[in-house]
């Protein structure tokens, strides 16, 4: 595991009470709750950035003519919807 660094984090009373409440409910210490919360936040922020980058690439492809125009008869989305409704995945 990498090196650790202590930070002088100051919480207002509401955040402090919420942190204690969550730590007690989960049977963990406050530091572990904060560490996991930070990791979840970072993962969410990274996923959101990847999504926006993907959308941006898609718009670029459409505007530049690099993308592929799909005919209205294409069944990809219908097939995907049916698989999701039936609980089937191809992964």
């Amino acid at each position: 595991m990498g090196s650790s660094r202590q930070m002088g984090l100051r919480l207002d009373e509401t955040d402090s009470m919420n942190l204690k409440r969550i730590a007690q409910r989960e049977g963990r210490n406050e530091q572990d709750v904060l560490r996991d919360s930070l990791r979840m936040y970072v993962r969410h922020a990274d996923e959101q950035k990847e999504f926006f980058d993907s959308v941006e690439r898609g718009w670029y492809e459409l505007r530049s003519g690099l993308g592929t125009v799909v005919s209205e008869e294409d069944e990809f989305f219908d097939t995907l919807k049916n698989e999701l409704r039936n609980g089937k995945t191809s992964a």
Side-chain angles (χ1 to χ4, degrees), residues 9-52:
L9 182 64
R10 296 173 198 247
L11 300 175
D12 65 22
E13 187 155 338
T14 302
D15 289 340
S16 180
M17 294 297 291
N18 284 332
L19 178 58
K20 287 177 185 176
R21 178 177 53 85
I22 298 298
Q24 286 175 350
R25 182 174 63 203
E26 295 182 359
R28 303 186 310 153
N29 65 45
E30 294 172 12
Q31 184 177 355
D32 288 343
V33 172
L34 285 173
R35 186 179 297 117
D36 288 348
S37 296
L38 178 61
R39 288 177 181 155
M40 288 188 311
Y41 179 83
V42 168
R43 183 172 43 245
H44 174 73
D46 288 345
E47 289 171 355
Q48 190 174 33
K49 183 180 181 328
E50 288 173 16
F51 173 76
F52 288 138

Side-chain angles (χ1 to χ4, degrees), residues 59-75:
W59 278 111
Y60 173 78
E61 289 177 3
L62 286 173
R63 292 182 62 92
S64 65
L66 295 173
T68 304
V69 177
V70 178
S71 71
E72 289 187 28
E73 294 84 29
D74 188 82
E75 297 176 356

